[in-house]
Structure formats: structure tokens, C-alpha cells
């Protein structure tokens, strides 16, 4: 089992920052649209459950 040291963590973060942190298969518009849809669904559910206010 390897132990994560501060220098290993810094190295991993540096590598991630150089690559931009993006995976080739992740579409930012699809993720944003999905997140917006999920938040709108939660908003709709919340407004349906609070009819007495």
C-alpha cells in the first residue's frame, strides 16, 4: 500500500493542472444541461411540496 505524501499530492495536482483537468469524453454542455435539469426538477418538487405557504 502506497502512502500519499505532500510531494506526491503536489505532483499529482501539477499534472492535473497541466492537462486542464478535462477528460476527452466529458461534454461540458451535456454536464451543464444535466445539472440544470436536475436543479429545475428539485425546484419543481420543492414548490409542489410547499403548497401551504
Amino acid at each position: 500500500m502506497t502512502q500519499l505524501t505532500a510531494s506526491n499530492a503536489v505532483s499529482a495536482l501539477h499534472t492535473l493542472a497541466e492537462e486542464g483537468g478535462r477528460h476527452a469524453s466529458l461534454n461540458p454542455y451535456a454536464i451543464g444541461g444535466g445539472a440544470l435539469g436536475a436543479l429545475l426538477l428539485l425546484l419543481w418538487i420543492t414548490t409542489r411540496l410547499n403548497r401551504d405557504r
Side-chain angles (χ1 to χ4, degrees):
M1 185 170 166
T2 60
Q3 183 178 0
L4 184 63
T5 61
S7 62
N8 288 345
V10 169
S11 176
L13 288 173
H14 185 263
T15 303
L16 183 64
E18 282 181 344
E19 294 174 356
R22 295 187 196 160
H23 194 270
S25 67
L26 296 179
N27 183 355
Y29 293 110
I31 293 172
L36 178 62
L39 289 173
L40 288 173
L41 177 65
L42 289 172
L43 178 64
W44 182 80
I45 290 170
T46 302
T47 56
R48 297 305 122 211
L49 293 176
N50 287 329
R51 290 183 182 265
D52 58 337
R53 293 184 182 184

